[in-house]
Amino acid sequence: MRKSYYFVLLFYSLLISAIIVHYVFSLFNFQWQSAFGNIQTLQKFIFVLFFLTMSLTILLLLVMKFVQMATLSSIKKNIRHILDGQPIRPSHQVDIDRGFHKIATKLTLLTENLQKSENQVLQKEEVIIEKERRRIARDLHDTVSQELFAANMILSGIAGRLDSLEKHKVAQQLQSVTAILDTAQKDLRVLLLHLRPIELEGRSLVAGLEVIVKELTDKSDIEVHFEHQVDRIPQKIEEHIFRIAQEIISNTLRHAKASRLDVYLYQNKNEVQLKMSDNGIGFHREKLDEVSYGLKNIEERVYDMAGEIQILTAPKQGVAIDIRVPLLEGSEK
């Protein structure tokens, strides 16, 4: 309570006390002159007036405190009812009750919208999972399954004509089967590399990217060139950039048909730059939205870091992705 309120309350109590004293004087025909003419009587009069004023002030303060506590108790109960979804109890204060009803209405709407959003997210996740399942099944069918089928057909042909085939033709066909199986094995490794995500797990960003690069070179025919010059990057940005690099590598494995991938990671005092380019088949720029859900994930991560992304591509010209993320002063690692 502000000091001005106490002064107003004290003045109000003094005014009431004066009115009471004046009424008592009039009721018993006391004379003001006699009270002020005698010092002892004046002292008693001042003491009674002071005591009466203070008593009224304390009484008013207690009443106000009681009303305040009752109001706060009612507010707390209504807040608890709102959170529990129960009806609001009237507090006999129109403004407060109206405010509570508005809050309850907005909270109900927010809860409904949140539930709808969560349902939409779940549905979207289910759609994404279903798309990934179909993509994996398609990749298996288009690569490993077809290659194994071709190898099986050649071996069946050899088995059916083994007595009539010359040795050098049998050797040639067996070499073809071996080549097909080697290709199937590489395609399967690439697919497994995409399905098994690598975590940073306490590594630095450069160390994590080096692990990915080694996996990629060991399990695919893609040649990777990795250059880096970084110092201290905030952990959240490191995680985002690491995931972005993983997604770009995944897209390169799945779509690019590239033989080379260049990765550049540079940092200055103002920003971090990640640039990745391949020599694959590329795509039409106007079809960017149709190419990959992964590219949309990359863009969302970049925008979450207040960064910028530029995608350069053309058919048979490969893809180059340039990402720049600002570094703020005082950012914690």
PDB file of all heavy atoms in Angstrom, residues 140-167:
ATOM      1  N   LEU A 140      15.401 -49.827 -51.850  1.00  0.00           N
ATOM      2  CA  LEU A 140      15.787 -51.231 -51.833  1.00  0.00           C
ATOM      3  C   LEU A 140      15.364 -51.943 -53.116  1.00  0.00           C
ATOM      4  O   LEU A 140      16.103 -52.743 -53.684  1.00  0.00           O
ATOM      5  CB  LEU A 140      15.171 -51.930 -50.615  1.00  0.00           C
ATOM      6  CG  LEU A 140      15.824 -51.657 -49.262  1.00  0.00           C
ATOM      7  CD1 LEU A 140      14.977 -52.231 -48.138  1.00  0.00           C
ATOM      8  CD2 LEU A 140      17.232 -52.250 -49.211  1.00  0.00           C
ATOM      9  N   HIS A 141      14.164 -51.612 -53.575  1.00  0.00           N
ATOM     10  CA  HIS A 141      13.657 -52.253 -54.794  1.00  0.00           C
ATOM     11  C   HIS A 141      14.447 -51.808 -56.017  1.00  0.00           C
ATOM     12  O   HIS A 141      14.803 -52.625 -56.885  1.00  0.00           O
ATOM     13  CB  HIS A 141      12.171 -51.919 -54.980  1.00  0.00           C
ATOM     14  CG  HIS A 141      11.580 -52.508 -56.237  1.00  0.00           C
ATOM     15  ND1 HIS A 141      11.563 -51.819 -57.429  1.00  0.00           N
ATOM     16  CD2 HIS A 141      11.024 -53.721 -56.475  1.00  0.00           C
ATOM     17  CE1 HIS A 141      11.002 -52.578 -58.361  1.00  0.00           C
ATOM     18  NE2 HIS A 141      10.668 -53.727 -57.810  1.00  0.00           N
ATOM     19  N   ASP A 142      14.735 -50.490 -56.103  1.00  0.00           N
ATOM     20  CA  ASP A 142      15.398 -49.950 -57.292  1.00  0.00           C
ATOM     21  C   ASP A 142      16.873 -50.308 -57.363  1.00  0.00           C
ATOM     22  O   ASP A 142      17.450 -50.281 -58.459  1.00  0.00           O
ATOM     23  CB  ASP A 142      15.255 -48.427 -57.342  1.00  0.00           C
ATOM     24  CG  ASP A 142      13.807 -48.006 -57.560  1.00  0.00           C
ATOM     25  OD1 ASP A 142      12.999 -48.869 -57.973  1.00  0.00           O
ATOM     26  OD2 ASP A 142      13.490 -46.825 -57.314  1.00  0.00           O
ATOM     27  N   THR A 143      17.481 -50.620 -56.216  1.00  0.00           N
ATOM     28  CA  THR A 143      18.924 -50.891 -56.233  1.00  0.00           C
ATOM     29  C   THR A 143      19.217 -52.335 -55.848  1.00  0.00           C
ATOM     30  O   THR A 143      19.417 -53.201 -56.717  1.00  0.00           O
ATOM     31  CB  THR A 143      19.646 -49.935 -55.283  1.00  0.00           C
ATOM     32  OG1 THR A 143      19.080 -50.050 -53.959  1.00  0.00           O
ATOM     33  CG2 THR A 143      19.505 -48.491 -55.737  1.00  0.00           C
ATOM     34  N   VAL A 144      19.231 -52.610 -54.562  1.00  0.00           N
ATOM     35  CA  VAL A 144      19.674 -53.917 -54.066  1.00  0.00           C
ATOM     36  C   VAL A 144      18.789 -55.041 -54.596  1.00  0.00           C
ATOM     37  O   VAL A 144      19.289 -56.079 -55.069  1.00  0.00           O
ATOM     38  CB  VAL A 144      19.692 -53.919 -52.524  1.00  0.00           C
ATOM     39  CG1 VAL A 144      20.148 -55.283 -52.007  1.00  0.00           C
ATOM     40  CG2 VAL A 144      20.607 -52.819 -52.005  1.00  0.00           C
ATOM     41  N   SER A 145      17.471 -54.844 -54.539  1.00  0.00           N
ATOM     42  CA  SER A 145      16.575 -55.913 -54.969  1.00  0.00           C
ATOM     43  C   SER A 145      16.748 -56.225 -56.456  1.00  0.00           C
ATOM     44  O   SER A 145      16.808 -57.403 -56.855  1.00  0.00           O
ATOM     45  CB  SER A 145      15.128 -55.505 -54.687  1.00  0.00           C
ATOM     46  OG  SER A 145      14.239 -56.509 -55.109  1.00  0.00           O
ATOM     47  N   GLN A 146      16.854 -55.191 -57.273  1.00  0.00           N
ATOM     48  CA  GLN A 146      17.029 -55.395 -58.711  1.00  0.00           C
ATOM     49  C   GLN A 146      18.370 -56.064 -59.012  1.00  0.00           C
ATOM     50  O   GLN A 146      18.471 -56.945 -59.880  1.00  0.00           O
ATOM     51  CB  GLN A 146      16.949 -54.050 -59.437  1.00  0.00           C
ATOM     52  CG  GLN A 146      15.566 -53.405 -59.407  1.00  0.00           C
ATOM     53  CD  GLN A 146      14.557 -54.161 -60.267  1.00  0.00           C
ATOM     54  OE1 GLN A 146      14.916 -54.945 -61.133  1.00  0.00           O
ATOM     55  NE2 GLN A 146      13.282 -53.935 -60.013  1.00  0.00           N
ATOM     56  N   GLU A 147      19.392 -55.650 -58.290  1.00  0.00           N
ATOM     57  CA  GLU A 147      20.714 -56.235 -58.521  1.00  0.00           C
ATOM     58  C   GLU A 147      20.754 -57.703 -58.104  1.00  0.00           C
ATOM     59  O   GLU A 147      21.342 -58.545 -58.801  1.00  0.00           O
ATOM     60  CB  GLU A 147      21.766 -55.426 -57.760  1.00  0.00           C
ATOM     61  CG  GLU A 147      21.998 -54.046 -58.377  1.00  0.00           C
ATOM     62  CD  GLU A 147      22.558 -53.037 -57.391  1.00  0.00           C
ATOM     63  OE1 GLU A 147      22.609 -53.352 -56.184  1.00  0.00           O
ATOM     64  OE2 GLU A 147      22.933 -51.942 -57.837  1.00  0.00           O
ATOM     65  N   LEU A 148      20.129 -58.009 -56.964  1.00  0.00           N
ATOM     66  CA  LEU A 148      20.085 -59.405 -56.533  1.00  0.00           C
ATOM     67  C   LEU A 148      19.256 -60.242 -57.503  1.00  0.00           C
ATOM     68  O   LEU A 148      19.584 -61.413 -57.772  1.00  0.00           O
ATOM     69  CB  LEU A 148      19.503 -59.495 -55.124  1.00  0.00           C
ATOM     70  CG  LEU A 148      20.376 -58.918 -54.001  1.00  0.00           C
ATOM     71  CD1 LEU A 148      19.658 -59.031 -52.671  1.00  0.00           C
ATOM     72  CD2 LEU A 148      21.724 -59.635 -53.931  1.00  0.00           C
ATOM     73  N   PHE A 149      18.197 -59.650 -58.033  1.00  0.00           N
ATOM     74  CA  PHE A 149      17.373 -60.372 -59.011  1.00  0.00           C
ATOM     75  C   PHE A 149      18.181 -60.668 -60.281  1.00  0.00           C
ATOM     76  O   PHE A 149      18.121 -61.780 -60.831  1.00  0.00           O
ATOM     77  CB  PHE A 149      16.134 -59.537 -59.359  1.00  0.00           C
ATOM     78  CG  PHE A 149      15.264 -60.164 -60.403  1.00  0.00           C
ATOM     79  CD1 PHE A 149      14.438 -61.231 -60.098  1.00  0.00           C
ATOM     80  CD2 PHE A 149      15.270 -59.682 -61.716  1.00  0.00           C
ATOM     81  CE1 PHE A 149      13.638 -61.821 -61.070  1.00  0.00           C
ATOM     82  CE2 PHE A 149      14.474 -60.258 -62.689  1.00  0.00           C
ATOM     83  CZ  PHE A 149      13.646 -61.335 -62.363  1.00  0.00           C
ATOM     84  N   ALA A 150      18.945 -59.658 -60.737  1.00  0.00           N
ATOM     85  CA  ALA A 150      19.774 -59.870 -61.931  1.00  0.00           C
ATOM     86  C   ALA A 150      20.819 -60.958 -61.688  1.00  0.00           C
ATOM     87  O   ALA A 150      21.054 -61.832 -62.550  1.00  0.00           O
ATOM     88  CB  ALA A 150      20.455 -58.562 -62.325  1.00  0.00           C
ATOM     89  N   ALA A 151      21.465 -60.913 -60.492  1.00  0.00           N
ATOM     90  CA  ALA A 151      22.460 -61.937 -60.172  1.00  0.00           C
ATOM     91  C   ALA A 151      21.822 -63.319 -60.128  1.00  0.00           C
ATOM     92  O   ALA A 151      22.395 -64.319 -60.606  1.00  0.00           O
ATOM     93  CB  ALA A 151      23.122 -61.605 -58.837  1.00  0.00           C
ATOM     94  N   ASN A 152      20.627 -63.412 -59.563  1.00  0.00           N
ATOM     95  CA  ASN A 152      19.919 -64.687 -59.475  1.00  0.00           C
ATOM     96  C   ASN A 152      19.578 -65.234 -60.863  1.00  0.00           C
ATOM     97  O   ASN A 152      19.703 -66.438 -61.133  1.00  0.00           O
ATOM     98  CB  ASN A 152      18.652 -64.509 -58.648  1.00  0.00           C
ATOM     99  CG  ASN A 152      17.901 -65.821 -58.464  1.00  0.00           C
ATOM    100  OD1 ASN A 152      18.392 -66.760 -57.854  1.00  0.00           O
ATOM    101  ND2 ASN A 152      16.692 -65.872 -59.022  1.00  0.00           N
ATOM    102  N   MET A 153      19.162 -64.319 -61.789  1.00  0.00           N
ATOM    103  CA  MET A 153      18.818 -64.754 -63.144  1.00  0.00           C
ATOM    104  C   MET A 153      20.051 -65.293 -63.869  1.00  0.00           C
ATOM    105  O   MET A 153      19.981 -66.310 -64.574  1.00  0.00           O
ATOM    106  CB  MET A 153      18.218 -63.589 -63.920  1.00  0.00           C
ATOM    107  CG  MET A 153      16.846 -63.162 -63.429  1.00  0.00           C
ATOM    108  SD  MET A 153      15.600 -64.446 -63.659  1.00  0.00           S
ATOM    109  CE  MET A 153      15.496 -64.515 -65.452  1.00  0.00           C
ATOM    110  N   ILE A 154      21.186 -64.603 -63.713  1.00  0.00           N
ATOM    111  CA  ILE A 154      22.401 -65.066 -64.372  1.00  0.00           C
ATOM    112  C   ILE A 154      22.819 -66.431 -63.831  1.00  0.00           C
ATOM    113  O   ILE A 154      23.175 -67.364 -64.588  1.00  0.00           O
ATOM    114  CB  ILE A 154      23.530 -64.037 -64.199  1.00  0.00           C
ATOM    115  CG1 ILE A 154      23.184 -62.738 -64.921  1.00  0.00           C
ATOM    116  CG2 ILE A 154      24.854 -64.591 -64.712  1.00  0.00           C
ATOM    117  CD1 ILE A 154      24.175 -61.610 -64.669  1.00  0.00           C
ATOM    118  N   LEU A 155      22.770 -66.573 -62.499  1.00  0.00           N
ATOM    119  CA  LEU A 155      23.157 -67.852 -61.892  1.00  0.00           C
ATOM    120  C   LEU A 155      22.200 -68.969 -62.308  1.00  0.00           C
ATOM    121  O   LEU A 155      22.623 -70.117 -62.542  1.00  0.00           O
ATOM    122  CB  LEU A 155      23.185 -67.718 -60.366  1.00  0.00           C
ATOM    123  CG  LEU A 155      24.326 -66.866 -59.794  1.00  0.00           C
ATOM    124  CD1 LEU A 155      24.143 -66.687 -58.287  1.00  0.00           C
ATOM    125  CD2 LEU A 155      25.686 -67.515 -60.086  1.00  0.00           C
ATOM    126  N   SER A 156      20.914 -68.658 -62.424  1.00  0.00           N
ATOM    127  CA  SER A 156      19.944 -69.669 -62.875  1.00  0.00           C
ATOM    128  C   SER A 156      20.239 -70.091 -64.311  1.00  0.00           C
ATOM    129  O   SER A 156      20.133 -71.279 -64.664  1.00  0.00           O
ATOM    130  CB  SER A 156      18.523 -69.104 -62.791  1.00  0.00           C
ATOM    131  OG  SER A 156      18.187 -68.813 -61.452  1.00  0.00           O
ATOM    132  N   GLY A 157      20.606 -69.081 -65.151  1.00  0.00           N
ATOM    133  CA  GLY A 157      20.944 -69.415 -66.540  1.00  0.00           C
ATOM    134  C   GLY A 157      22.178 -70.290 -66.637  1.00  0.00           C
ATOM    135  O   GLY A 157      22.244 -71.226 -67.451  1.00  0.00           O
ATOM    136  N   ILE A 158      23.164 -69.957 -65.783  1.00  0.00           N
ATOM    137  CA  ILE A 158      24.381 -70.777 -65.777  1.00  0.00           C
ATOM    138  C   ILE A 158      24.065 -72.199 -65.335  1.00  0.00           C
ATOM    139  O   ILE A 158      24.533 -73.192 -65.930  1.00  0.00           O
ATOM    140  CB  ILE A 158      25.441 -70.149 -64.859  1.00  0.00           C
ATOM    141  CG1 ILE A 158      25.920 -68.815 -65.426  1.00  0.00           C
ATOM    142  CG2 ILE A 158      26.622 -71.097 -64.670  1.00  0.00           C
ATOM    143  CD1 ILE A 158      26.855 -68.059 -64.495  1.00  0.00           C
ATOM    144  N   ALA A 159      23.246 -72.319 -64.273  1.00  0.00           N
ATOM    145  CA  ALA A 159      22.909 -73.647 -63.760  1.00  0.00           C
ATOM    146  C   ALA A 159      22.152 -74.472 -64.791  1.00  0.00           C
ATOM    147  O   ALA A 159      22.352 -75.696 -64.908  1.00  0.00           O
ATOM    148  CB  ALA A 159      22.082 -73.514 -62.483  1.00  0.00           C
ATOM    149  N   GLY A 160      21.290 -73.816 -65.576  1.00  0.00           N
ATOM    150  CA  GLY A 160      20.504 -74.549 -66.572  1.00  0.00           C
ATOM    151  C   GLY A 160      21.316 -74.983 -67.779  1.00  0.00           C
ATOM    152  O   GLY A 160      20.938 -75.948 -68.459  1.00  0.00           O
ATOM    153  N   ARG A 161      22.385 -74.285 -68.085  1.00  0.00           N
ATOM    154  CA  ARG A 161      23.172 -74.609 -69.277  1.00  0.00           C
ATOM    155  C   ARG A 161      24.616 -74.923 -68.916  1.00  0.00           C
ATOM    156  O   ARG A 161      25.528 -74.725 -69.714  1.00  0.00           O
ATOM    157  CB  ARG A 161      23.145 -73.440 -70.252  1.00  0.00           C
ATOM    158  CG  ARG A 161      21.746 -73.133 -70.799  1.00  0.00           C
ATOM    159  CD  ARG A 161      21.830 -72.036 -71.847  1.00  0.00           C
ATOM    160  NE  ARG A 161      22.391 -70.816 -71.278  1.00  0.00           N
ATOM    161  CZ  ARG A 161      22.969 -69.855 -72.018  1.00  0.00           C
ATOM    162  NH1 ARG A 161      23.108 -70.025 -73.322  1.00  0.00           N
ATOM    163  NH2 ARG A 161      23.431 -68.778 -71.432  1.00  0.00           N
ATOM    164  N   LEU A 162      24.846 -75.413 -67.743  1.00  0.00           N
ATOM    165  CA  LEU A 162      26.212 -75.628 -67.274  1.00  0.00           C
ATOM    166  C   LEU A 162      26.968 -76.641 -68.137  1.00  0.00           C
ATOM    167  O   LEU A 162      28.158 -76.475 -68.422  1.00  0.00           O
ATOM    168  CB  LEU A 162      26.176 -76.102 -65.813  1.00  0.00           C
ATOM    169  CG  LEU A 162      27.539 -76.220 -65.116  1.00  0.00           C
ATOM    170  CD1 LEU A 162      28.267 -74.860 -65.093  1.00  0.00           C
ATOM    171  CD2 LEU A 162      27.365 -76.740 -63.690  1.00  0.00           C
ATOM    172  N   ASP A 163      26.267 -77.674 -68.603  1.00  0.00           N
ATOM    173  CA  ASP A 163      26.935 -78.719 -69.378  1.00  0.00           C
ATOM    174  C   ASP A 163      27.334 -78.236 -70.769  1.00  0.00           C
ATOM    175  O   ASP A 163      28.321 -78.698 -71.345  1.00  0.00           O
ATOM    176  CB  ASP A 163      26.024 -79.949 -69.507  1.00  0.00           C
ATOM    177  CG  ASP A 163      25.768 -80.604 -68.154  1.00  0.00           C
ATOM    178  OD1 ASP A 163      26.627 -80.430 -67.256  1.00  0.00           O
ATOM    179  OD2 ASP A 163      24.725 -81.264 -67.998  1.00  0.00           O
ATOM    180  N   SER A 164      26.582 -77.282 -71.326  1.00  0.00           N
ATOM    181  CA  SER A 164      26.849 -76.842 -72.690  1.00  0.00           C
ATOM    182  C   SER A 164      27.705 -75.587 -72.780  1.00  0.00           C
ATOM    183  O   SER A 164      28.171 -75.230 -73.865  1.00  0.00           O
ATOM    184  CB  SER A 164      25.519 -76.585 -73.424  1.00  0.00           C
ATOM    185  OG  SER A 164      24.785 -75.562 -72.752  1.00  0.00           O
ATOM    186  N   LEU A 165      27.902 -74.873 -71.691  1.00  0.00           N
ATOM    187  CA  LEU A 165      28.666 -73.634 -71.705  1.00  0.00           C
ATOM    188  C   LEU A 165      30.162 -73.922 -71.617  1.00  0.00           C
ATOM    189  O   LEU A 165      30.599 -74.848 -70.918  1.00  0.00           O
ATOM    190  CB  LEU A 165      28.267 -72.736 -70.525  1.00  0.00           C
ATOM    191  CG  LEU A 165      26.911 -72.032 -70.636  1.00  0.00           C
ATOM    192  CD1 LEU A 165      26.623 -71.274 -69.349  1.00  0.00           C
ATOM    193  CD2 LEU A 165      26.888 -71.065 -71.826  1.00  0.00           C
ATOM    194  N   GLU A 166      30.912 -73.097 -72.342  1.00  0.00           N
ATOM    195  CA  GLU A 166      32.356 -73.197 -72.248  1.00  0.00           C
ATOM    196  C   GLU A 166      32.843 -72.548 -70.952  1.00  0.00           C
ATOM    197  O   GLU A 166      32.184 -71.678 -70.388  1.00  0.00           O
ATOM    198  CB  GLU A 166      33.011 -72.510 -73.458  1.00  0.00           C
ATOM    199  CG  GLU A 166      32.646 -73.166 -74.776  1.00  0.00           C
ATOM    200  CD  GLU A 166      33.284 -72.442 -75.942  1.00  0.00           C
ATOM    201  OE1 GLU A 166      34.014 -71.444 -75.698  1.00  0.00           O
ATOM    202  OE2 GLU A 166      33.053 -72.863 -77.097  1.00  0.00           O
ATOM    203  N   LYS A 167      34.031 -72.992 -70.526  1.00  0.00           N
ATOM    204  CA  LYS A 167      34.552 -72.516 -69.241  1.00  0.00           C
ATOM    205  C   LYS A 167      34.759 -71.006 -69.221  1.00  0.00           C
ATOM    206  O   LYS A 167      34.453 -70.346 -68.230  1.00  0.00           O
ATOM    207  CB  LYS A 167      35.862 -73.229 -68.915  1.00  0.00           C
ATOM    208  CG  LYS A 167      35.699 -74.678 -68.527  1.00  0.00           C
ATOM    209  CD  LYS A 167      37.034 -75.273 -68.104  1.00  0.00           C
ATOM    210  CE  LYS A 167      36.859 -76.716 -67.653  1.00  0.00           C
ATOM    211  NZ  LYS A 167      38.153 -77.315 -67.216  1.00  0.00           N
TER     212      LYS A 167
END
